[in-house]
Amino acid sequence: MSAFRWLASPLTGTAGVLAGLCLIAIPLRRLTSAAPVAAVQAPSAVVSAAEIPAVLRLKLLAPARHLTLKSTDGIILLDKPSLPAGESGHDVALRLIDGELDIELHADFGDHAAETAVFLTVMPDGYEEQTRYVTGGGLMDETLRYDWHPAH
């Protein structure tokens, strides 16, 4: 048997493939058997345990000169001058205390005597969305109460 025929035989080809697999098996073992590395998050991206990310959906029937939403502990959730009529969404972090949330709404619609309304939908992560509304004209100062208590 000549050297060329011996190199071209199926047995030699199979041995060559197995030798190649053996050479890459060592690095593959290190990749697949290594202990997992814990991912480290940046401290600025961490939301405190008491705060829940949420979306506030605000719907105005008339344009507002100024609108402010505050939690009862004084944290300003939203402060917007000159909002047009319509719907808008805003990302916030909310603090639920025993499944309850109170939001103070301060809206200035100007000197218009016409009746208008503000609808505020709160959508916290992991909870059902809830909508409250306030009607009136001119200046509005109301406290909106939201609660997420499990049914007994």
Side-chain angles (χ1 to χ4, degrees), residues 4-149:
F4 179 72
R5 286 186 70 193
W6 187 81
L7 288 175
S9 74
L11 182 61
T12 306
T14 303
V17 169
L18 289 176
L21 288 175
C22 288
L23 288 176
I24 64 169
I26 294 171
L28 286 177
R29 182 177 175 271
R30 286 186 184 151
L31 286 175
T32 58
S33 299
V37 178
V40 178
Q41 290 183 340
S44 62
V46 176
V47 177
S48 81
E51 293 182 345
I52 298 172
V55 174
L56 296 178
R57 187 171 55 217
L58 183 66
K59 184 175 182 182
L60 303 175
L61 297 184
R65 282 188 190 172
H66 193 262
L67 186 126
T68 305
L69 298 174
K70 282 196 262 185
S71 64
T72 52
D73 52 354
I75 297 172
I76 296 175
L77 302 173
L78 186 66
D79 188 13
K80 294 284 185 178
S82 65
L83 274 170
E87 199 169 311
S88 61
H90 309 277
D91 293 328
V92 295
L94 299 176
R95 240 179 227 190
L96 298 181
I97 301 170
D98 294 327
E100 295 181 355
L101 173 69
D102 291 333
I103 296 179
E104 297 174 3
L105 169 81
H106 304 285
D108 180 9
F109 287 95
D111 297 330
H112 304 301
E115 188 83 5
T116 188
V118 176
F119 294 86
L120 182 62
T121 302
V122 177
M123 297 177 280
D125 281 356
Y127 293 90
E128 184 178 310
E129 71 179 53
Q130 292 186 16
T131 303
R132 304 289 184 265
Y133 67 93
V134 177
T135 59
L139 289 175
M140 289 184 189
D141 288 319
E142 290 286 331
T143 300
L144 305 172
R145 177 166 284 246
Y146 299 85
D147 57 5
W148 291 272
H149 292 294

